[in-house]
Amino acid sequence: MVFVIDSSSSIWEPNFKQQLQFVQQMVNTFDVSQNKTRIGAINFSNRVVREFHLKTHDSKERVLSAISEVEYTAGDSTNTNEALMVLRTEYFTEWSGDRSDVPNIAILLTDGGSTLMAETVNEANLNKETGVSMFAVGIGHTVNEEELTLIASAPKADFMYILENVTELQTEAFTQLISHQACKILKNDTNEEMCKRIVDVVFVIDSSRSIWITYFKQQLQFVKQLVNAFDVGQGKTRIGAINFSNRHMTEFHLNAYDSKEDILNAVSNVQYTAGDMTNTFDALRLLRTEAFSEVNGDRSDIPNIAILLTDGESSNMASTVKEAQLTREAGVTIFAIGIGDKIIKEELEQIASSPTSDYMHVLETFTELQAGDFVKRIIDLACKGKNFTYMGELSLLVLTFNC
């Protein structure tokens, strides 16, 4: 595993040090030695600094010490292409300590676009062609999402992440998320058991302006993580999506796409509308009256699951509660999950099915939405049909957070 750390001047020195702390947190999750996991590090800006190779340090303590000594260079350009070339031609080589029978993982940290995007993408592709699993982690508002998408390995939902700031980088939930994905590679366990339960799933995605665009994109990442867990096809699980704020629109219906790849691409193309209202009640009405209809691909003999993501209090609580009640009366099981310290618990309680101890949950931070344990919990409920006693019933998961 090699960490590729951005040290350009756009990253302030305190933030650079927080990157190093994240690297140390990651190292602490692995069993490090020359016979087990080996760690290397590259520091880059206008120049590339070869901090230490895979064979340099033979213990976790020495690796952690070496990371603490990595210096901030404050270069005036971001030559990611050169860092990735060094990664490929020097680090993942036998001379550097690379082992041909062990998976290779690179974790790139950057706060913006590279100076030469075409060269960067080319070098990333060359790395991936040699078998390197590329994680691309972007931090802040100046991240080039298109470039990160092209750098990261597939599926992008597992290998590309965009964070609002370096503080999120250091959360335990995010460290666990990346460690979990890396461990799957090291254990040759990238193909987790897929959910074989056949369901019709519609994601209802909040796009109001109270959700910053970075967090909106993280919603899409969460959606893609869940999509990846299902066996998708018109004869298997079907997926649909609704996007809402002051207005609502159907992004794609249950019968729109036949393959997981097409659905993941469609999710990536969902646009942030930044509406000035959160008309959750309209989204619930559209969900109940149109999304789960035969003409749009709903199957009467297949369980229906809707996953609603929202940023908190709706624009009209009374109407939202009424629509939630109508949905429950139609046989809907509603999960209400709030994130942050400004959650309107009263509204969540009236949206959620009973008992609320099972169907209403509050997460402390937004990053926890993508944490492996939380995602797995939601997938297990949807896949196993826990507490879903009737075929054709509609199960609704509500996730809400504050930015």
Side-chain angles (χ1 to χ4, degrees):
M1 181 183 299
V2 178
F3 292 91
V4 186
I5 307 165
D6 191 341
S7 184
S8 54
S9 58
S10 56
I11 299 177
W12 294 358
E13 187 168 6
N15 293 344
F16 176 77
K17 290 179 179 178
Q18 285 184 289
Q19 285 188 108
L20 300 185
Q21 290 170 1
F22 164 74
V23 173
Q24 290 175 315
Q25 288 173 204
M26 283 290 298
V27 170
N28 271 318
T29 65
F30 293 95
D31 193 358
V32 178
S33 74
Q34 286 300 296
N35 293 325
K36 297 180 180 178
T37 296
R38 298 180 181 180
I39 307 290
I42 295 172
N43 184 6
F44 75 97
S45 55
N46 58 328
R47 59 190 178 92
V48 177
V49 180
R50 297 150 179 84
E51 296 293 345
F52 54 91
H53 291 284
L54 293 166
K55 67 179 182 181
T56 305
H57 301 297
D58 58 5
S59 71
K60 182 180 294 186
E61 291 73 19
R62 291 181 179 179
V63 170
L64 292 172
S65 177
I67 293 168
S68 66
E69 295 174 0
V70 173
E71 295 184 355
Y72 175 56
T73 63
D76 57 3
S77 57
T78 307
N79 291 337
T80 317
N81 60 304
E82 292 185 10
L84 294 179
M85 181 177 66
V86 169
L87 175 73
R88 175 176 57 87
T89 60
E90 298 184 27
Y91 271 68
F92 287 126
T93 64
E94 184 179 359
W95 175 87
S96 176
D98 181 53
R99 294 161 289 181
S100 60
D101 59 340
V102 174
N104 292 336
I105 298 173
I107 300 178
L108 171 69
L109 304 172
T110 184
D111 77 329
S114 66
T115 304
L116 298 170
M117 178 174 169
E119 286 82 348
T120 295
V121 171
N122 181 59
E123 284 297 335
N125 287 335
L126 290 173
N127 272 280
K128 288 182 286 190
E129 287 170 6
T130 64
V132 178
S133 296
M134 296 286 302
F135 286 87
V137 181
I139 307 162
H141 296 289
T142 59
V143 167
N144 185 332
E145 182 182 0
E146 179 186 1
E147 184 177 59
L148 285 185
T149 301
L150 295 170
I151 290 173
S153 293
K156 306 302 178 183
D158 290 342
F159 290 95
M160 188 190 83
Y161 301 90
I162 299 176
L163 305 180
E164 181 66 26
N165 50 51
V166 290
T167 302
E168 288 190 13
L169 184 67
Q170 286 188 275
T171 61
E172 182 180 357
F174 185 71
T175 301
Q176 289 179 350
L177 175 61
I178 301 298
S179 297
H180 175 69
Q181 298 296 346
C183 280
K184 290 192 316 187
I185 297 167
L186 296 175
K187 294 177 180 178
N188 195 26
D189 187 28
T190 53
N191 293 318
E192 291 186 327
E193 184 177 352
M194 188 176 295
C195 176
K196 296 299 183 181
R197 187 183 188 222
I198 298 176
V199 289
D200 289 337
V201 182
V202 176
F203 292 92
V204 186
I205 306 166
D206 192 340
S207 188
S208 54
R209 67 184 180 189
S210 55
I211 299 175
W212 294 358
I213 189 169
T214 302
Y215 289 115
F216 177 78
K217 292 175 181 177
Q218 284 185 299
Q219 286 187 107
L220 301 186
Q221 289 294 109
F222 170 75
V223 170
K224 289 190 281 188
Q225 284 179 274
L226 292 187
V227 170
N228 271 317
F230 289 96
D231 191 6
V232 175
Q234 285 301 303
K236 301 175 182 178
T237 288
R238 297 180 180 180
I239 308 288
I242 293 170
N243 186 4
F244 78 98
S245 55
N246 57 327
R247 57 192 176 93
H248 56 273
M249 67 187 78
T250 299
E251 295 290 341
F252 53 92
H253 284 300
L254 291 165
N255 54 6
Y257 299 110
D258 294 331
S259 72
K260 182 177 294 186
E261 181 180 2
D262 287 342
I263 291 169
L264 292 172
N265 287 335
V267 173
S268 295
N269 290 329
V270 173
Q271 296 297 307
Y272 175 57
T273 62
D276 57 1
M277 300 179 73
T278 306
N279 290 340
T280 314
F281 58 95
D282 276 341
L284 289 172
R285 186 181 301 120
L286 181 66
L287 173 73
R288 179 170 51 84
T289 61
E290 295 185 27
F292 287 117
S293 63
E294 184 178 357
V295 69
N296 290 322
D298 182 50
R299 296 163 289 182
S300 60
D301 59 338
I302 298 297
N304 293 336
I305 298 175
I307 301 179
L308 169 69
L309 294 93
T310 179
D311 74 332
E313 184 179 10
S314 66
S315 301
N316 189 323
M317 179 174 170
S319 295
T320 296
V321 170
K322 179 181 178 180
E323 286 297 331
Q325 180 180 350
L326 290 172
T327 306
R328 291 196 305 270
E329 289 174 354
V332 179
T333 301
I334 303 179
F335 290 79
I337 301 173
I339 303 175
D341 59 2
K342 298 180 181 179
I343 298 301
I344 308 300
K345 289 187 178 181
E346 180 185 357
E347 184 175 52
L348 289 182
E349 288 170 352
Q350 294 188 66
I351 291 173
S353 294
S354 297
T356 55
S357 58
D358 288 341
Y359 296 106
M360 189 187 82
H361 304 269
V362 176
L363 304 181
E364 291 184 0
T365 64
F366 177 78
T367 306
E368 290 181 39
L369 181 65
Q370 289 185 271
D373 289 346
F374 178 70
V375 173
K376 184 178 186 300
R377 183 178 184 184
I378 301 308
I379 291 169
D380 285 346
L381 283 169
C383 184
K384 295 177 182 178
K386 186 175 181 180
N387 296 324
F388 303 159
T389 55
Y390 298 103
M391 290 299 289
E393 78 177 316
L394 173 63
S395 302
L396 173 62
L397 166 66
V398 180
L399 296 117
T400 178
F401 57 89
N402 272 276
C403 302

